[in-house]
Amino acid sequence: MNSTRHLDSLTDALSKNFISFAVGFIINCINGAFVYTYFKNQVFQQDPRYVLYIHLVINDMIMLTVSVTLQIVTYTLPVNLASCCIILIILVTTNRNSPLNLAGMAVERYIAVCRPLHHVQICTAQRAYALIALIWGISFIPSLTDVIIILATQPLSAFSRSIICHPGYVYNTQYHKTQNMVVQVLLFSFVFLTLIITYLKVLCAAQAVSGSNQASARNARNTILLHGVQLLIYMLTFISPFINLSLITTWPRDRTKILFTTFLFINVLPRLLSPLIYGVRDKKFSSHMRRHIRCKCCSSEKKRVNLIGPQRRAKQG
């Protein structure tokens, strides 16, 4: 995506930037509605499940905003290496936060179903915030290490030159490739095993209980299964270079269209999954959200009536 600015016509560049901005803006508005609902209700802020959920939404909003902004800036302004490193730290860190957050949410559901008597003591809002801080620390350290490698291998003058701001171009040393491979394998192996183990544990619990507990276990099992689907979609980000390479090799004349399409479907649209999978499915959260929307609509209608009323009376007088 970022490497196509010199190959696109002005019309293509404008249309791609407009589409990216419009889709990103709509997704962030939808996500923002869920964030607003969360902060307007104290009941959600005391539940570790919703704390982790809203962190995932906010994390996706940050990643989406920075990613779309980087695309637009790449087409319009030169980006030096120093600015690019800061942007990539945010992008890479938030990208790695998502699967770790999914693992934390899966463990919370496992404890709620399989250890219900200990859930209140183990899963608290304070521990959820501590887990979020740990997730950011784990994701931030490899991102910072990438920049340190550049500092060790490049002269300081290199940070002032304009470059194509893309991880594949900036982090191109053998040290970067080795570290990235190790981090990705460890990260996704840990998250994948966590999801598999918690899913199997909850599946066994669903077969052992009955009544309302069985319904709760079934819901938790379905939620963890959706975690796995979302993890697979997030993994597309890391295999997108191979997808791009295979598609460009097959259709070399459509290189810029392929890069933009994969960016849109792999980096942008998946950020809408979190509210759709969790917020809409959750009856408690969706009911509060509908209530806030109705209240907003009613207040807007009252304001409109209050403004129109005096104007009508003035005309009649």
Side-chain angles (χ1 to χ4, degrees):
M1 178 270 301
N2 290 327
S3 61
T4 65
R5 58 178 177 176
H6 299 299
L7 302 177
D8 288 332
S9 64
L10 178 60
T11 303
D12 289 340
L14 288 174
S15 61
K16 289 177 180 179
N17 286 327
F18 176 78
I19 293 172
S20 297
F21 175 80
V23 174
F25 180 78
I26 292 171
I27 292 175
N28 272 349
C29 286
I30 296 172
N31 287 341
F34 286 91
V35 175
Y36 174 81
T37 302
Y38 170 84
F39 283 107
K40 290 293 288 185
N41 295 274
Q42 289 288 336
V43 64
F44 295 129
Q45 300 175 34
Q46 301 302 319
D47 192 326
R49 177 187 178 186
Y50 295 108
V51 171
L52 291 174
Y53 160 67
I54 212 65
H55 170 254
L56 183 64
V57 174
I58 294 174
N59 182 81
D60 284 350
M61 291 178 68
I62 295 172
M63 181 182 176
L64 179 59
T65 301
V66 176
S67 182
V68 172
T69 301
L70 176 60
Q71 183 200 15
I72 296 173
V73 168
T74 302
Y75 274 95
T76 56
L77 298 172
V79 180
N80 58 40
L81 181 58
S83 301
C84 180
C85 287
I86 296 174
I87 294 172
L88 290 183
I89 285 178
I90 299 174
L91 281 177
V92 175
T93 300
T94 51
N95 200 20
R96 288 171 178 163
N97 282 345
S98 298
L100 289 173
N101 200 100
L102 291 175
M105 295 173 71
V107 172
E108 188 275 331
R109 286 294 84 198
Y110 157 74
I111 296 174
V113 173
C114 299
R115 300 288 188 271
L117 299 178
H118 301 89
H119 181 261
V120 177
Q121 291 78 20
I122 297 175
C123 298
T124 63
Q126 290 73 21
R127 290 187 176 180
Y129 289 123
L131 177 61
I132 290 171
L134 179 63
I135 288 172
W136 276 90
I138 293 174
S139 300
F140 176 74
I141 291 174
S143 304
L144 183 62
T145 305
D146 286 329
V147 178
I148 293 175
I149 293 174
I150 293 179
L151 287 170
T153 56
Q154 297 287 337
L156 292 178
S157 59
F159 285 85
S160 59
R161 74 168 186 263
S162 298
I163 60 166
I164 297 173
C165 191
H166 187 276
Y169 292 97
V170 179
Y171 303 148
N172 56 4
T173 67
Q174 189 59 43
Y175 301 107
H176 287 114
K177 295 176 182 178
T178 302
Q179 180 195 249
N180 185 63
M181 180 63 67
V182 171
V183 170
Q184 300 307 342
V185 170
L186 291 176
L187 173 67
F188 282 101
S189 296
F190 168 75
V191 175
F192 182 76
L193 288 175
T194 300
L195 293 178
I196 289 295
I197 293 171
T198 53
Y199 178 80
L200 292 177
K201 291 283 187 180
V202 172
L203 181 63
C204 294
Q207 295 174 345
V209 298
S210 59
S212 60
N213 289 333
Q214 188 176 28
S216 176
R218 192 186 308 114
N219 290 334
R221 181 193 64 195
N222 293 337
T223 300
I224 295 174
L225 185 61
L226 288 172
H227 289 338
V229 174
Q230 193 168 7
L231 176 66
L232 293 176
I233 295 174
Y234 282 143
M235 287 181 66
L236 292 176
T237 304
F238 302 101
I239 64 173
S240 60
F242 304 102
I243 297 175
N244 288 333
L245 181 61
S246 61
L247 292 176
I248 291 172
T249 303
T250 307
W251 298 284
R253 294 184 178 180
D254 298 322
R255 179 176 182 272
T256 59
K257 294 179 181 178
I258 290 171
L259 293 175
F260 174 73
T261 303
T262 54
F263 166 75
L264 198 64
F265 281 92
I266 293 177
N267 293 87
V268 178
L269 291 177
R271 306 307 135 192
L272 187 59
L273 286 176
S274 296
L276 292 180
I277 289 178
Y278 310 112
V280 175
R281 286 181 66 249
D282 191 283
K283 295 180 180 179
K284 183 178 178 181
F285 204 99
S286 59
S287 64
H288 278 79
M289 187 172 179
R290 286 194 299 269
R291 188 184 310 165
H292 284 300
I293 293 174
R294 285 196 297 266
C295 291
K296 284 290 183 181
C297 293
C298 291
S299 61
S300 298
E301 183 65 22
K302 288 180 181 179
K303 289 180 180 179
R304 190 177 68 85
V305 171
N306 292 334
L307 288 173
I308 294 175
Q311 293 176 0
R312 286 181 177 176
R313 287 194 295 269
K315 288 180 180 179
Q316 292 173 357

